[in-house]
């Protein structure tokens, strides 16, 4: 028997009284977009019982109090760009869609903060910051469509994490509606805070299991005056990745060091219908350097060019940033166009072990009948996105091979000192895997934290950790 109650007509009426009837959906057609995220496998699709679109934190609090009182699951949802089924209502209940909460509330140029609601897209935040001479450094590949609330919930990483860190380093405070419907601000505009436990850092990355973020205090930095993008093409992955520690050891701190393997490059080339350099056999390292002094920047780029040449690069190009980043950010979309169903693994290993990890993944591809696995990701921080493609495999074969293949990949990753997820999170997709691979003491502490925040276990149940 479920621990949760069903959503009744009376509850729908109460929800309508809180937000207005036009912002409560209970018909299948309007609820369908909220039944999945970017994970395309049908087994990760589940229809909500009701979808509610609040306008402010007070309405969110009233909805959460109702859910807590009635023992209804409640699933906070941003733009639905997640890749771990973290915003899918597998236990039924209420999907709390935050798309109406889409305002930039404050731009504090003196303290260098932007205060925003959770439904603002990352791209909107970046654009608003740039127009005032600042940089918001959070930069996930989904930034054009992902919401800041989702970035906070998953501690999104992205392309600039090597220099600026993940979302956790960009967020200095949040307004949170707790699972019991109380509104609290954690952190804020103070640069330092040694006042007890860092509840803020528990909430960031908790994937909506510890409450609903209704406001975020985002750090800003001065916008660099100059930037250059280099594309270094190597004949094999091992040679390509070997250049990463040599660049950083030289005293240069790039904003970005990305990689794409040859199969990923070829797939993107077909998807974009656009010729890419050395796509026949090349492996890409994309390096972005930023700074205020143009001469220093050119000197750094010249040194990186020379270093890559000395270490086996086929060619080093000053890249057209629009073209090269379009190619890099199209990686997942290109694979989806080729194979609607695929599994994006989000593993992370020590940087120097990326070649070994990808070589072992290539061997596993052969072992499982040459199943297509395309790799790209963040070379500067060891985060590998390995897309396992179903292609024309039968459903039976796919569901037989995929878990076995994943198991071998995860065992290899943990043997290298790595982790299940670098930036996409655990969500629903990796709950059992976390239980299998995480330290039991770590799991016990997580469960205790969950029960302390959410005694009735209504907040995004079945995600991250089972209690």
């Amino acid at each position: 028997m479920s621990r949760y109650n069903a959503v009744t007509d009376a509850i729908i009426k109460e929800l309508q009284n809180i937000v207005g009837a036009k912002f409560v959906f209970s018909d299948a057609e309007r609820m369908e977009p909220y039944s999945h995220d970017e994970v395309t496998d049908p087994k990760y699709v589940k229809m909500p019982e009701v979808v509610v679109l609040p306008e402010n934190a007070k309405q969110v609090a009233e909805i959460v109090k109702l859910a807590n009182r009635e023992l209804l699951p409640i699933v906070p949802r941003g733009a639905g760009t997640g890749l771990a089924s973290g915003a899918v209502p597998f236990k039924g209940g209420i999907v709390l869609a935050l798309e109406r909460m889409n305002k930039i509330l404050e731009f504090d140029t003196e303290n260098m903060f932007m205060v925003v609601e959770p439904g603002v897209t990352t791209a909107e935040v970046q654009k608003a910051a740039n127009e005032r001479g600042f940089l918001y450094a959070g930069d996930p590949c989904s930034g054009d469509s992902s919401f800041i609330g989702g970035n906070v919930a998953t501690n999104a990483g992205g392309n600039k994490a090597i220099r600026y860190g993940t979302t956790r380093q960009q967020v200095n405070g949040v307004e949170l509606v707790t699972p019991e419907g109380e509104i609290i601000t954690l952190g804020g505009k103070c640069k330092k805070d040694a006042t007890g436990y860092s509840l803020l850092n528990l909430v960031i990355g908790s994937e909506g299991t510890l409450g609903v973020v209704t406001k975020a205090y985002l750090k800003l930095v001065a916008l660099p005056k100059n930037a250059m993008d280099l594309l270094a093409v190597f004949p094999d992955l091992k040679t390509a990745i070997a250049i990463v520690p040599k660049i950083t050891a030289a005293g240069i701190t790039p904003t970005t060091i990305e990689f794409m393997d040859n199969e990923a490059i070829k797939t993107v080339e077909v998807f974009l219908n656009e010729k890419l350099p050395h796509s026949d056999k090349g492996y890409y390292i994309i390096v972005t350097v930023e700074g205020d002094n143009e001469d220093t920047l050119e000197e750094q780029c010249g040194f990186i060019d020379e270093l890559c040449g000395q270490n086996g690069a086929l060619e080093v190009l000053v890249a057209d940033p629009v073209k090269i980043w379009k190619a890099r950010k199209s990686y997942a979309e290109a694979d989806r166009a080729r194979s609607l169903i695929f599994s994006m693994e989000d593993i992370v290993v020590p940087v120097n072990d990326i070649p070994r990890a990808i070589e072992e993944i290539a061997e596993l591809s052969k072992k499982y009948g040459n199943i297509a696995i395309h790799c790209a990701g963040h070379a500067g921080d060891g985060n590998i996105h390995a897309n396992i493609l179903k292609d024309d495999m039968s459903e039976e074969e796919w569901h037989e091979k995929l878990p076995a293949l994943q198991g071998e990949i995860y065992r290899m990753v943990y043997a290298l000192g790595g982790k299940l997820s670098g930036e996409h999170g655990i969500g629903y997709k990796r709950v059992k895997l976390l239980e299998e691979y995480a330290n039991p003491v770590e799991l016990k502490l997580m469960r205790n934290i969950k029960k302390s925040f959410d005694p009735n276990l209504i907040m995004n149940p079945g995600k991250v950790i089972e209690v």
Side-chain angles (χ1 to χ4, degrees):
M1 181 181 291
S2 172
R3 68 173 289 114
Y4 303 108
N5 295 318
V7 174
T8 64
D9 290 341
I11 287 167
I12 289 175
K13 183 65 176 175
E14 283 195 65
L15 293 170
Q16 290 173 338
N17 289 337
I18 294 170
V19 302
K22 68 183 289 188
F23 300 114
V24 178
F25 309 155
S26 56
D27 59 290
E29 184 177 355
R30 286 196 292 176
M31 290 198 301
E32 192 282 330
Y34 302 90
S35 68
H36 57 86
D37 62 6
E38 290 295 317
V39 179
T40 49
D41 193 320
K43 76 176 185 177
Y44 294 112
V45 175
K46 179 70 165 28
M47 193 71 79
E49 292 178 74
V50 64
V51 177
V52 186
L53 282 68
E55 186 180 23
N56 52 51
K58 183 180 177 183
Q59 290 182 357
V60 172
E62 290 303 309
I63 295 164
V64 172
K65 285 176 184 176
L66 170 60
N68 200 53
R69 184 192 81 206
E70 299 293 336
L71 281 182
L72 301 168
I74 189 162
V75 180
R77 182 183 176 94
T81 59
L83 291 157
S85 302
V88 180
F90 291 102
K91 306 282 187 180
I94 301 169
V95 167
L96 189 73
L98 299 167
E99 59 214 57
R100 292 178 67 209
M101 298 179 65
N102 58 4
K103 301 180 188 67
I104 295 175
L105 301 172
E106 182 184 358
F107 206 111
D108 183 343
T109 56
E110 292 184 342
N111 289 306
M112 297 174 70
F113 284 107
M114 190 186 303
V115 185
V116 306
E117 291 183 323
V120 182
T121 67
T122 315
E124 288 171 328
V125 168
Q126 292 169 333
K127 182 174 183 288
N130 292 169
E131 288 173 348
R132 291 165 174 82
F134 293 95
L135 171 70
Y136 172 68
D139 191 31
C141 282
S142 61
D144 287 346
S145 52
S146 65
F147 290 172
I148 286 294
N151 292 178
V152 174
T154 57
N155 185 31
N159 306 309
K160 296 181 179 177
I162 184 174
R163 178 169 181 176
Y164 296 106
T166 62
T167 299
R168 185 170 276 117
Q169 282 71 53
Q170 320 309 325
V171 178
N172 213 62
V174 299
E175 178 183 80
L176 182 79
V177 175
T178 73
E180 295 178 284
E182 298 168 314
I183 301 175
I184 184 173
T185 296
L186 305 174
K189 293 185 180 181
C190 293
K191 295 287 187 180
K192 297 172 71 176
D193 183 357
T195 315
Y197 299 140
S198 180
L199 299 178
L200 170 65
N201 281 304
L202 274 177
V203 168
I204 299 169
S206 64
E207 302 185 45
T209 63
L210 302 181
V212 184
V213 171
T214 52
K215 189 185 296 183
Y217 294 75
L218 306 179
K219 299 177 188 176
L220 303 173
V221 296
L223 182 66
K225 293 178 182 177
N226 302 290
M228 288 185 69
D229 297 277
L230 299 178
L231 172 61
V233 186
F234 289 86
D236 57 74
L237 186 71
K238 188 170 184 178
T239 309
I241 298 298
I243 198 65
V244 176
K246 294 180 180 179
I247 292 172
T248 54
I252 299 171
T253 305
T255 301
T256 298
I257 308 180
E258 298 287 293
F259 77 94
M260 296 176 70
D261 75 8
N262 186 250
E263 288 301 318
I265 293 164
K266 288 176 178 176
T267 304
V268 167
E269 185 176 62
V270 170
F271 175 71
L272 295 177
N273 193 25
E274 191 172 312
K275 179 64 179 172
L276 296 174
H278 296 282
S279 58
D280 56 334
K281 59 180 180 179
Y283 291 74
Y284 286 0
I285 293 289
I286 305 165
V287 183
T288 302
V289 288
E290 297 176 331
D292 292 334
N293 188 303
E294 191 172 0
D295 291 339
T296 301
L297 202 63
E298 289 185 359
E299 184 180 321
Q300 289 178 338
C301 288
F303 182 76
I304 293 170
D305 183 354
E306 185 179 341
L307 198 60
C308 290
Q310 292 171 353
N311 286 271
L314 299 172
E315 188 174 14
V316 180
L317 306 165
V318 176
D320 176 345
V322 173
K323 183 174 181 178
I324 196 60
W325 283 109
K326 183 181 179 183
R328 169 63 185 90
K329 291 185 177 185
S330 296
Y331 159 65
E333 196 176 355
D335 276 344
R336 185 175 290 109
R338 168 173 159 171
S339 175
L340 180 60
I341 295 175
F342 70 97
S343 181
M344 178 181 273
E345 306 305 323
D346 176 44
I347 56 180
V348 60
V349 297
V351 172
N352 66 319
D353 283 319
I354 289 179
R356 180 175 170 188
I358 295 182
E359 284 169 8
E360 293 202 29
I361 288 170
E363 288 303 312
L364 289 170
S365 167
K366 296 175 186 174
K367 177 179 176 179
Y368 284 84
N370 290 318
I371 186 170
I373 308 177
H374 300 165
C375 293
H378 314 300
D381 55 25
N383 193 183
I384 303 167
H385 300 315
N387 288 355
I388 306 170
L389 278 60
K390 178 177 178 290
D391 284 335
D392 57 358
M393 201 181 304
S394 70
E395 290 289 329
E396 183 180 2
E397 186 181 6
W398 172 249
H399 290 300
E400 178 185 336
K401 284 186 174 182
L402 182 62
L405 173 57
Q406 288 172 320
E408 294 207 49
I409 289 173
Y410 302 142
R411 285 190 288 276
M412 174 269 294
V413 166
Y414 273 79
L416 294 175
K419 297 286 185 178
L420 285 171
S421 176
E423 59 186 13
H424 296 164
I426 300 301
Y428 174 80
K429 185 178 176 184
R430 300 185 179 94
V431 169
K432 295 191 182 304
L433 295 169
L434 184 68
E435 291 185 356
E436 182 176 353
Y437 290 99
N439 184 292
V441 176
E442 187 178 10
L443 292 171
K444 180 179 74 172
L445 292 172
M446 286 191 217
R447 290 191 178 100
N448 289 341
I449 289 166
K450 170 65 174 172
K451 286 187 285 187
S452 177
F453 270 73
D454 184 13
N456 283 327
L457 307 178
I458 63 159
M459 193 60 66
N460 211 7
K463 316 298 170 51
V464 184
I465 188 90
E466 287 279 13
V467 181

